[in-house]
Amino acid sequence: MREAVGSFVGWPSDLIFPDAETPTRPTHKVGKGISRRIESVASQKEVTGRKLKSAAKDIPTTSGTKSQIMMRLEKMVDESDIMQGAIRSIDFDEGVFGAAHFEIIAKENMQQLFEHDELGIAVIHTYIWYMYVTLMRGSELCNRFNFIAASRINATLITKNPTSVKNDLVDRFMAAGDNTTPSLYFLPFNSGNGGHWVLVAMDLSRLIVYYLDSLSGDWNKYPSMKKTVDAAIIKFRSKKNYRNRKDITWVRVECPQQNNSVDCGFFVLRFMRDIIALNRIDIPKMYFEEYKSYSRAHLDEMKDELCQFIVDQRII
């Protein structure tokens, strides 16, 4: 399969799973920014840092209907070669995941956004990039919040090679500094085979792991995930010669709950968005008073933010 990367092969959408391993980057060199696999490399438009709330301020959203910015982007996609199977390869800032990272955007990813469908890794990662650029880059928030790529840590990969996943997680911790001051590592975790999304937020300095699930239940649903996270934290602290003053504490946060079968990915993104916007390292067990529940308008707001970002970055 890796030898086929760089060419387009038709594939049924129901056989595309969001937890599949990220393919190896093609060997030919591309410019920093957006690569059109059929067209030439596009220049990347710089988006100045701005607060999330101000970014969405001028984007009117009516719950359940498509906004002007979404319809504009949908028209751009319809008129592009993406509809004929072309893809976009996007280089992220290294600060997003602590190392070089690229993402592939294809027709099905855009349809997830336009049709409010179950989100795959590409959309999850692109919104994380949006949050990094919009709210964090160049500010002290980069020292308080870190992201872990869902393509590197998920249920399918843990089942295949738990030791490799654990080491990848340790490497991510090592890339961010000494972690002696409170900060959070966000892991959007997928249960496998296009399954459920949950958010795992780790505070390495206080040995606290917050678990946010928009469905009922706790981390016991994913014992291999908990075992891998705990082992990675212990190994990281050993490599740094930190003393494990106490056991790792897992906290199930009573967060907003979804009322359908498709919103888990949107909720995970909204959890991260609100924690960063509130600049809170400590997540209350009963969640934040400001966000006891999420309406469809809260999710539509994020979709509009991402649509605007995709237009600004000239991804299509």
Side-chain angles (χ1 to χ4, degrees):
M1 176 176 178
R2 295 184 184 276
E3 287 75 18
V5 173
S7 61
F8 172 72
V9 179
W11 197 256
S13 60
D14 60 337
L15 294 181
I16 298 174
F17 304 117
D19 60 337
E21 295 182 63
T22 302
T24 303
R25 185 183 256 300
T27 55
H28 65 278
K29 294 183 179 180
V30 298
K32 181 72 174 176
I34 319 307
S35 170
R36 286 161 169 75
R37 207 50 68 82
I38 293 177
E39 303 170 5
S40 60
V41 175
S43 61
Q44 181 175 357
K45 182 178 180 180
E46 187 72 16
V47 179
T48 57
R50 57 189 187 275
K51 298 295 182 182
L52 283 174
K53 291 182 179 179
S54 64
K57 180 177 63 177
D58 299 324
I59 304 175
T61 303
T62 303
S63 178
T65 63
K66 293 183 179 180
S67 65
Q68 290 185 351
I69 186 60
M70 180 174 287
M71 289 188 291
R72 177 186 172 191
L73 179 58
E74 192 168 16
K75 185 173 185 294
M76 292 171 63
V77 171
D78 287 341
E79 295 174 350
S80 75
D81 56 3
I82 287 181
M83 298 305 293
Q84 284 73 50
I87 60 175
R88 303 292 186 265
S89 180
I90 312 167
D91 287 315
F92 285 16
D93 301 58
E94 290 192 7
V96 178
F97 294 122
H101 181 87
F102 78 100
E103 202 64 52
I104 291 176
I105 300 293
K107 175 183 175 181
E108 54 267 22
N109 307 122
M110 303 308 302
Q111 289 175 333
Q112 292 166 7
L113 186 61
F114 298 148
E115 304 303 326
H116 196 91
D117 204 349
E118 296 179 17
L119 297 183
I121 281 179
V123 178
I124 295 285
H125 282 176
T126 305
Y127 190 83
I128 286 174
W129 182 34
Y130 158 76
M131 288 190 290
Y132 176 84
V133 170
T134 303
L135 186 62
M136 295 171 54
R137 188 169 63 186
S139 77
E140 58 94 21
L141 292 177
C142 286
N143 298 321
R144 291 174 63 80
F145 301 103
N146 305 277
F147 301 106
I148 299 168
S151 55
R152 305 289 295 176
I153 317 289
N154 57 62
T156 300
L157 297 181
I158 289 174
T159 300
K160 291 179 180 178
N161 194 337
T163 300
S164 176
V165 173
K166 178 189 69 176
N167 291 336
D168 279 347
L169 197 49
V170 172
D171 289 343
R172 179 65 184 102
F173 296 155
M174 297 291 289
D178 60 12
N179 294 285
T180 56
T181 57
S183 63
L184 283 181
Y185 286 83
F186 292 123
L187 168 61
F189 180 80
N190 190 271
S191 64
N193 293 332
H196 182 55
W197 289 99
V198 301
L199 179 63
V200 179
M202 294 161 272
D203 182 344
L204 303 187
S205 66
R206 297 185 298 165
L207 292 178
I208 296 175
V209 180
Y210 299 100
Y211 179 89
L212 293 87
D213 189 344
S214 56
L215 294 177
S216 60
D218 61 18
W219 52 84
N220 289 314
K221 293 191 292 185
Y222 313 112
S224 60
M225 178 273 289
K226 181 181 184 300
K227 181 179 179 180
T228 301
V229 168
D230 286 347
I233 293 174
I234 292 171
K235 182 174 181 179
F236 164 75
R237 294 183 66 85
S238 175
K239 286 172 71 79
K240 285 289 191 178
N241 294 318
Y242 296 154
R243 288 177 132 188
N244 287 324
R245 300 183 304 275
K246 58 181 181 179
D247 293 335
I248 300 168
T249 300
W250 283 66
V251 178
R252 188 193 191 285
V253 178
E254 299 295 328
C255 54
Q257 299 289 283
Q258 66 188 84
N259 58 9
N260 59 32
S261 61
V262 301
D263 277 350
C264 55
F266 293 101
F267 272 59
V268 162
L269 293 177
R270 187 79 203 195
F271 295 151
M272 291 187 285
R273 180 194 190 278
D274 292 339
I275 293 167
I276 295 171
L278 293 171
N279 195 9
R280 292 285 298 273
I281 298 298
D282 57 317
I283 305 175
K285 183 174 174 51
M286 301 306 295
Y287 205 54
F288 303 108
E289 288 296 330
E290 296 91 334
Y291 300 106
K292 286 297 186 182
S293 63
Y294 292 147
S295 66
R296 175 61 183 266
H298 284 106
L299 310 185
D300 288 344
E301 181 181 26
M302 293 192 306
K303 292 191 295 184
D304 289 348
E305 291 168 346
L306 186 53
C307 286
Q308 185 67 64
F309 183 70
I310 290 171
V311 170
D312 291 344
Q313 293 286 324
R314 300 180 182 177
I315 291 175
I316 302 305

